[in-house]
Amino acid sequence: MAKPEVGYLLPTRDRSVMGEHDSRRLVAQARRAEELGLDSVWAGDSPVTRPRADPLLLLAAVAQATERVTLGTAVLLPALRHPILLAHQLATLDRLSDGRLIAGMGGGFPNQATRAQFASIGVGFASRAGRTAESIDVMRKLWSGEAVSWRGEHFAFEDVRIAPPPSRPSGPPIWLAGSGVPALRRVARLADGWLPYPPEWTTYAEEHQVIEQAAARPVTPALYATLCLDQDPEKARRRLRTSVERYYNAPLDTIAPIQALFAGTARQAADWLTGYVAAGARHLVIRLATDDHDAGLEEFADRVLPLLREERHR
């Protein structure tokens, strides 16, 4: 079994919920994740529904504080932004990180609060899939460094050129979230990677096969998963409920049927994640459900990361 790359989601939302807004602590955590041997660090996006530090500004600081780790958005909401401005930001960030950026993108968590976020910014919620797909096409053209004219369903402009171009000629890889046939078809058609969070590895395996059969180019299969670690699995489940409901402002029973969530011991967590690796996942993005994120990162790196890299998990 192939050894997966393993990344850490910076707790931007968790810090905000707790009233902690010192972004320097998040940058320090990214640096520590690199020191502990993780492969990537990630930042989420939701400016109104689940407020937190801006992911692109935060990752610009992380780019200067780290040397090796991949930087990613998990996930960015391109439908909330104009693609000229977003292409410019991502190209600049790709330059700052010497080509270490992955642009993870999605449409937004499908609930009433997300609808309200789109409404507050003046973007129709129903248009988000189309705007996202068109934005990807626009950005890839702009990343060429050539002048671009565009007339589409959502955007139109003439003779636009951005600078600097990204570090890589094709721009940063774009990974798309999503499950279900329409989303999987978008991944196969548009994306360089797939970053879903299905609650069962069997679903992951089935959907991964759909992408492999439909995609015209290789698509990196990844996974976004939430872990709550404790030697007492029942205590871990209680803590997971508290963390998830605080994070999403929604009942755990609403979130659990659609998201990859786990509570238990380090060994159990590694075995659970290995099920997804066996189903094809090659990059794991881990969100930790904990009150102490500094200690949680150390615990994950000390107790779970080595298990994922053991020979018997390959």
Side-chain angles (χ1 to χ4, degrees):
M1 188 185 305
K3 181 175 67 173
E5 294 193 328
V6 183
Y8 172 63
L9 183 75
L10 295 169
T12 54
R13 169 61 176 164
D14 304 85
R15 297 288 193 200
S16 179
V17 167
M18 301 300 288
E20 301 173 6
H21 303 296
D22 184 357
S23 295
R24 291 170 296 186
R25 290 190 63 186
L26 295 164
V27 175
Q29 276 203 309
R31 188 164 53 243
R32 183 58 179 155
E34 181 173 74
E35 293 169 352
L36 290 169
L38 278 89
D39 300 295
S40 58
V41 292
W42 301 75
D45 179 33
S46 184
V48 177
T49 303
R50 292 184 294 281
R52 66 191 78 187
D54 179 87
L56 301 184
L57 289 174
L58 177 62
L59 290 176
V62 171
Q64 300 305 291
T66 58
E67 297 179 353
R68 174 187 56 80
V69 287
T70 296
L71 312 180
T73 53
V75 294
L76 191 68
L77 306 177
L80 295 178
R81 299 161 169 89
H82 195 287
I84 293 175
L85 300 178
L86 185 55
H88 189 206
Q89 290 175 302
L90 290 170
T92 302
L93 181 52
D94 196 50
R95 282 274 169 184
L96 284 171
S97 64
D98 294 322
R100 290 186 283 144
L101 178 64
I102 293 173
M105 299 181 179
F109 199 69
N111 60 15
Q112 190 55 43
T114 303
R115 290 178 182 272
Q117 173 171 252
F118 275 73
S120 68
I121 296 174
V123 175
F125 185 73
S127 71
R128 71 194 191 283
R131 287 175 65 93
T132 296
E134 189 172 332
S135 291
I136 291 170
D137 288 336
V138 169
M139 289 189 293
R140 283 185 169 141
K141 287 184 178 296
L142 289 168
W143 287 335
S144 71
E146 302 297 323
V148 175
S149 295
W150 182 270
R151 187 162 299 276
E153 181 181 355
H154 303 283
F155 310 104
F157 53 86
E158 298 292 333
D159 198 28
V160 170
R161 187 195 311 267
I162 65 168
S167 179
R168 290 158 288 187
S170 59
I174 293 175
W175 292 10
L176 285 178
S179 294
V181 172
L184 297 175
R185 287 176 177 167
R186 280 194 298 276
V187 172
R189 179 170 60 89
L190 293 171
D192 304 296
W194 178 46
L195 184 56
Y197 47 49
E200 302 290 341
W201 70 262
T202 51
T203 303
Y204 188 99
E206 293 167 359
E207 296 194 328
H208 180 218
Q209 187 175 31
V210 171
I211 291 172
E212 283 196 312
Q213 291 173 348
R217 56 183 173 179
V219 175
T220 301
L223 173 75
Y224 179 110
T226 297
L227 303 184
C228 186
L229 303 175
D230 200 283
Q231 284 300 106
D232 181 346
E234 183 56 38
K235 184 178 178 181
R237 285 189 284 271
R238 291 195 299 269
R239 288 174 44 220
L240 177 68
R241 177 177 294 276
T242 298
S243 175
V244 166
E245 293 183 349
R246 183 172 59 204
Y247 188 98
Y248 288 104
N249 195 27
L252 177 64
D253 294 343
T254 300
I255 307 300
I258 57 177
Q259 276 209 24
L261 307 173
F262 179 84
T265 68
R267 171 60 71 179
Q268 290 170 338
D271 289 342
W272 178 74
L273 289 169
T274 298
Y276 288 93
V277 175
R282 294 295 172 262
H283 201 127
L284 308 176
V285 179
I286 305 299
R287 185 180 87 82
L288 296 176
T290 179
D291 289 333
D292 186 339
H293 286 275
D294 294 316
L297 175 58
E298 299 287 335
E299 179 184 26
F300 175 79
D302 182 57
R303 297 177 58 201
V304 180
L305 189 60
L307 296 177
L308 292 172
R309 292 173 174 169
E310 277 185 355
E311 187 63 36
R312 81 177 192 86
H313 278 83
R314 298 181 187 178

